[in-house]
Amino acid sequence: MAAVAMLKRCLLRNRRPFSALSPSPPSSASPPIRGSLSRFVSTLVLAEHEGGLVKQSSLSAIAAAAVVNKEKSVTVLLGGSGLALRKAASHAASCHPSVSQVLVADADILVHPLAETWAELVNFVQHQGNYSHIITTSNSFGKNVLPRAAALLDVSPVTDVVEIAEPHLFIRPIYAGNALCTVRYAGKGPCMMTIRSTSFTLPSCSTETKSVEAPISQVDLSTFDEGSVPKSRWLKLVSQESERPDLGNARVVVTGGRGLKSAENFKLLEKLAEKLGAAVGATRAAVDAGFVPNDLQVGQTGKIVAPELYMAFGVSGAIQHLAGMRDSKVIVAINKDADAPIFQVADYGLVADLFEVIPELIEKLPDKK
């Protein structure tokens, strides 16, 4: 029977098994911040930019800040220099109605996001602005900067937030995403956190929001001590040129696991990705085996993705991998092992040899226009 025909008929309805810890609402002893107290909530978003635009992951952080701050008092902090920084500041000023101010730290030392430099900048800006919340994305930038900045400010950060119930009540995954816990931040200010960009809806830049731009201000760096910062220095950026979409933002992701057996076989997956206009991902086992570079790794220790379609070929479904893709809208799994854990979270599953399925899909799918 043709593999594609089998794929259409094999439907698995076992949805993502999340079990919530502390699902009950907070007690009356700890009321949420509402009414007159909400005016004291002010949020600083640490944003990344590239090519004159705020990155999509940082737009998600702005959306999360809007949930925290109902009073539309969100400040976006951008660092760098030159024309790209000015264009990114203009984009940030109009990307969301909750953005009330854009702070621009214009300095050559901030062009590359070194953790030590940015942590000192956050500490510097916080002492000037006294923000109640500091938010960034749970990616390499956020995981690098926020813990260092939190140490300088002597607070404990909350990481990997997937839902904001109240300004100081958050939900985050534990046990590699197999359970959710409710966390109340009871420390002194500021409340610092990283959010999963896949859990917050990206703000839409409509014509209405673009017509009202937030003011853009320069951070006064005259007293910012650059000389005490550089314990590390930027050398170079090495990246692979590809016409495929970025893995973190792609609508379709095709991922290969150890079942592909070699780097040469991954080229089959790349051909399929070209047909679908998809990004290519990999499991940690495939990365450790040297099949693909580690920037393609999806999982708890790799990238967290939530595309509209996620296709997994030869992926067993280890818990660490599921933590990075289980929020995908539709999951399709192809594996010759009928007992593979990946089938427990898949919407569509096919028990078949991937080396027969992939060539057939490549043959029958139309070329991407």
Side-chain angles (χ1 to χ4, degrees), residues 131-185:
Y131 298 95
S132 63
H133 292 72
I134 299 178
I135 300 176
T136 190
T137 312
S138 185
N139 57 8
S140 58
F141 170 77
K143 291 176 181 178
N144 218 6
V145 172
L146 201 79
R148 294 174 182 271
L152 292 175
L153 293 167
D154 195 25
V155 300
S156 179
V158 182
T159 59
D160 270 352
V161 172
V162 297
E163 185 178 337
I164 299 171
E166 298 172 13
H168 288 95
L169 190 67
F170 314 107
I171 297 174
R172 64 181 300 273
I174 58 175
Y175 304 125
N178 275 273
L180 296 175
C181 68
T182 302
V183 178
R184 181 178 293 280
Y185 181 77

Side-chain angles (χ1 to χ4, degrees), residues 4-350:
V4 176
M6 291 174 64
L7 181 59
K8 293 179 180 178
R9 289 198 294 270
C10 293
L11 173 63
L12 298 179
R13 285 298 183 188
N14 299 328
R15 299 303 299 164
R16 289 49 134 190
F18 270 112
S19 59
L21 300 183
S22 306
S24 58
S27 65
S28 58
S30 301
I33 298 178
R34 292 193 182 97
S36 60
L37 290 180
S38 64
R39 69 176 180 269
F40 297 111
V41 177
S42 57
T43 309
L44 178 68
V45 175
L46 314 181
E48 292 182 278
H49 63 94
E50 185 177 31
L53 296 173
V54 178
K55 287 189 175 181
Q56 292 292 306
S57 57
S58 293
L59 293 177
S60 293
I62 294 173
V67 176
V68 170
N69 197 322
K70 303 298 184 183
E71 299 301 312
K72 297 184 178 181
S73 179
V74 176
T75 300
V76 178
L77 176 62
L78 295 170
S81 67
L83 180 61
L85 176 62
R86 293 192 292 272
K87 287 183 176 179
S90 179
H91 178 216
S94 60
C95 70
H96 198 285
S98 292
V99 176
S100 60
Q101 184 183 28
V102 177
L103 294 180
V104 175
D106 194 340
D108 291 339
I109 197 173
L110 298 170
V111 171
H112 305 298
L114 292 176
E116 293 90 349
T117 312
W118 261 88
E120 290 288 350
L121 175 64
V122 173
N123 183 38
F124 181 77
V125 171
Q126 171 60 20
H127 280 97
Q128 291 184 336
N130 195 26
Y131 298 95
S132 63
H133 292 72
I134 299 178
I135 300 176
T136 190
T137 312
S138 185
N139 57 8
S140 58
F141 170 77
K143 291 176 181 178
N144 218 6
V145 172
L146 201 79
R148 294 174 182 271
L152 292 175
L153 293 167
D154 195 25
V155 300
S156 179
V158 182
T159 59
D160 270 352
V161 172
V162 297
E163 185 178 337
I164 299 171
E166 298 172 13
H168 288 95
L169 190 67
F170 314 107
I171 297 174
R172 64 181 300 273
I174 58 175
Y175 304 125
N178 275 273
L180 296 175
C181 68
T182 302
V183 178
R184 181 178 293 280
Y185 181 77
K188 63 180 182 179
C191 174
M192 304 181 72
M193 61 178 165
T194 61
I195 60 98
R196 284 198 177 181
S197 58
T198 56
S199 300
F200 293 90
T201 305
L202 295 176
S204 58
C205 296
S206 63
T207 305
E208 180 181 351
T209 59
K210 284 184 179 180
S211 62
V212 181
E213 291 193 1
I216 300 173
S217 305
Q218 291 281 343
V219 178
D220 183 6
L221 298 177
S222 59
T223 58
F224 182 58
D225 186 9
E226 299 180 4
S228 63
V229 174
K231 296 178 182 177
S232 61
R233 60 193 179 93
W234 179 271
L235 294 179
K236 61 180 179 178
L237 172 65
V238 178
S239 61
Q240 291 186 333
E241 296 294 333
S242 175
E243 295 182 357
R244 289 191 296 270
D246 177 68
L247 178 58
N249 302 316
R251 293 177 59 252
V252 181
V253 173
V254 292
T255 293
R258 200 195 327 247
L260 280 164
K261 299 180 181 179
S262 70
E264 188 67 26
N265 290 333
F266 251 89
K267 293 180 180 179
L268 271 176
L269 209 62
E270 293 173 359
K271 290 181 180 179
L272 178 60
E274 290 175 4
K275 285 268 189 173
L276 294 170
V280 175
T283 63
R284 179 168 181 172
V287 170
D288 289 346
F291 298 165
V292 290
N294 58 10
D295 61 330
L296 298 185
Q297 182 179 329
V298 174
Q300 185 180 16
T301 54
K303 293 184 178 179
I304 308 296
V305 300
E308 294 180 15
L309 173 63
Y310 187 89
M311 302 182 72
F313 295 88
V315 175
S316 62
I319 186 172
Q320 292 85 357
H321 181 74
L322 298 183
M325 45 66 71
R326 69 193 315 158
D327 288 333
S328 303
K329 307 302 183 293
V330 177
I331 299 174
V332 177
I334 294 89
N335 199 304
K336 63 181 179 181
D337 179 8
D339 297 322
I342 188 69
F343 288 126
Q344 297 177 14
V345 298
D347 299 287
Y348 298 87
L350 175 62

